Amino acid sequence: RKEVEQDPGPFNVPEGATVAFNCTYSNSASQSFFWYRQDCRKEPKLLMSVYSSGNEDGRFTAQLNRASQYISLLIRDSKLSDSATYLCVVNMGSGTYKYIFGTGTRLKVLA
Amino acid sequence: ETGVTQSPTHLIKTRGQQVTLRCSSQSGHNTVSWYQQALGQGPQFIFQYYREEENGRGNFPPRFSGLQFPNYSSELNVNALELDDSALYLCASRSTGGDTGELFFGEGSRLTVL
């Protein structure tokens, strides 16, 4: 079983749609969780950290379910500019060196 | 931009050759890690350097080695290149002081092995 698993997609959605991605992780000791965005042939960039209480940043909402070991990302009112690959990232905790990336979920928002 | 710079941006090598990739970390960041990203995959952790010492390593063979310099810049060396080494190599820096956990990536070095 992979340490971090994501549905690779692609998810093709119309502008204005709401889309949700899930990610599961295998190590229950994981402490830090993130969503990164990666545009085609570019470097990954932090989209948002994921907190136990859930957090929202504009149209983006991230949730963490420790009991089931999954993380979710919800994008509301999708824009063409949201088209990218979304990477789920897990880290063992403060100061720990190893960040585990999922394979990424491709999103294409259609006009 | 992240302030992390990598060179070269693209290079082509043949099997058996050796390659050195370079990374300058963001100002104030003392930790540098390297990742390999094959096409269609997420980045895979190679190793991390903190204060010029390797302090973590992923599942990569010893022919992948690195260095960190006093100014926190870093090198990744790969010996005896294989076709499967073709990938995007990403350098990421972060600060362990007031650490938010965010990694700041460079634009990567795209290596093709023929």
Side-chain angles (χ1 to χ4, degrees):
Chain A
R1 181 185 174 188
K2 288 184 179 179
E3 293 178 273
V4 177
E5 292 202 68
Q6 295 181 251
D7 181 344
F11 284 58
N12 295 322
V13 302
E15 269 189 293
T18 296
V19 62
F21 306 139
N22 287 328
C23 164
T24 58
Y25 60 96
S26 60
N27 193 326
S28 60
S30 301
Q31 295 188 27
S32 303
F33 309 90
F34 309 89
W35 285 101
Y36 276 71
R37 170 189 169 134
Q38 187 171 26
D39 293 298
C40 187
R41 303 184 76 80
K42 296 286 192 180
E43 74 276 20
K45 292 184 179 178
L46 179 67
L47 177 66
M48 57 197 306
S49 301
V50 187
Y51 304 118
S52 296
S53 54
N55 48 302
E56 186 174 309
D57 183 2
R59 298 181 293 108
F60 299 85
T61 301
Q63 296 277 354
L64 167 63
N65 185 319
R66 287 188 181 272
S68 301
Q69 294 181 208
Y70 80 79
I71 308 150
S72 64
L73 176 68
L74 183 76
I75 305 176
R76 290 181 299 279
D77 188 22
S78 299
K79 311 291 185 191
L80 294 176
S81 58
D82 293 334
S83 298
T85 295
Y86 292 84
L87 297 160
C88 174
V89 186
V90 172
N91 180 267
M92 293 297 292
S94 179
T96 302
Y97 52 83
K98 191 174 178 183
Y99 288 70
I100 310 298
F101 284 75
T103 55
T105 298
R106 281 184 57 202
L107 171 67
K108 188 167 185 179
V109 181
L110 307 171
Chain B
E1 298 303 325
T2 64
V4 179
T5 58
Q6 292 187 240
S7 63
T9 55
H10 296 81
L11 68 167
I12 299 173
K13 293 284 187 178
T14 57
R15 274 189 307 175
Q17 285 190 309
Q18 178 266 342
V19 67
T20 297
L21 307 177
R22 297 178 174 82
C23 171
S24 293
S25 61
Q26 187 180 104
S27 177
H29 285 187
N30 54 15
T31 303
V32 173
S33 51
W34 287 91
Y35 289 79
Q36 180 195 66
Q37 187 173 25
L39 199 62
Q41 301 296 314
Q44 299 293 309
F45 175 76
I46 302 175
F47 43 57
Q48 174 173 286
Y49 279 83
Y50 171 66
R51 293 186 176 180
E52 303 177 57
E53 297 281 335
E54 183 184 299
N55 73 338
R57 190 177 183 93
N59 296 325
F60 281 81
R63 60 189 184 84
F64 286 78
S65 63
L67 285 172
Q68 187 179 31
F69 301 99
N71 66 354
Y72 304 136
S73 65
S74 177
E75 286 183 356
L76 164 65
N77 299 290
V78 187
N79 294 322
L81 284 167
E82 301 177 359
L83 297 180
D84 284 349
D85 295 334
S86 295
L88 179 68
Y89 288 85
L90 294 161
C91 169
S93 76
R94 67 186 181 101
S95 172
T96 55
D99 188 14
T100 63
E102 181 177 359
L103 294 173
F104 294 84
F105 284 92
E107 293 188 355
S109 294
R110 192 168 297 278
L111 171 65
T112 302
V113 182
L114 302 176

